[in-house]
Amino acid sequence: MSAIDCNVYPDLFFATKPGLVARAKKLCAGCPIQTECQEWGRTEEYGVWGGTSARDRRRTQAGGTNGPTLSDRLDAQILTARNRKQRVA
Ligand code: SF4
């Protein structure tokens, strides 16, 4: 993939749904300017830049932990609850 992807699909790179953010991050993996882009986007509040999400950057700026953030854990709990609800329905 390349830098063209984020120009062609800008909405994907500013999506907030976890699945779409993950897809954008995957596209960045093959981009020839990923390192530079990550540096450019280091202080950006929104979007995927150089394979990092806004959440990744906040986590890094907050002192960087490799474990899930509270927000990550809440997202996981919401998904689990939704899956249980769908199984019951
Ligand atoms: S690394 Fe940057 S320039 Fe490359 S696809 Fe990702 S967001 Fe676009």
Side-chain angles (χ1 to χ4, degrees):
M1 296 297 156
S2 71
I4 292 171
D5 294 319
C6 57
N7 290 318
V8 174
Y9 309 109
D11 291 348
L12 177 62
F13 286 78
F14 285 92
T16 55
K17 290 184 179 176
L20 296 177
V21 172
R23 190 179 303 171
K25 288 168 71 171
K26 265 189 186 172
L27 291 173
C28 291
C31 180
I33 61 167
Q34 185 183 12
T35 303
E36 294 87 346
C37 182
Q38 197 173 97
E39 183 57 28
W40 293 330
R42 196 170 47 82
T43 58
E44 290 292 331
E45 197 172 340
Y46 302 102
V48 170
W49 292 79
T52 64
S53 67
R55 181 177 295 169
D56 296 333
R57 294 189 298 276
R58 280 194 301 274
R59 187 181 306 158
T60 300
Q61 289 168 359
T65 65
N66 290 328
T69 63
L70 174 60
S71 180
D72 289 335
R73 292 194 304 267
L74 288 173
D75 285 347
Q77 286 179 356
I78 290 167
L79 284 174
T80 301
R82 278 189 193 148
N83 288 340
R84 280 190 193 134
K85 189 175 177 185
Q86 286 172 351
R87 273 187 250 136
V88 171

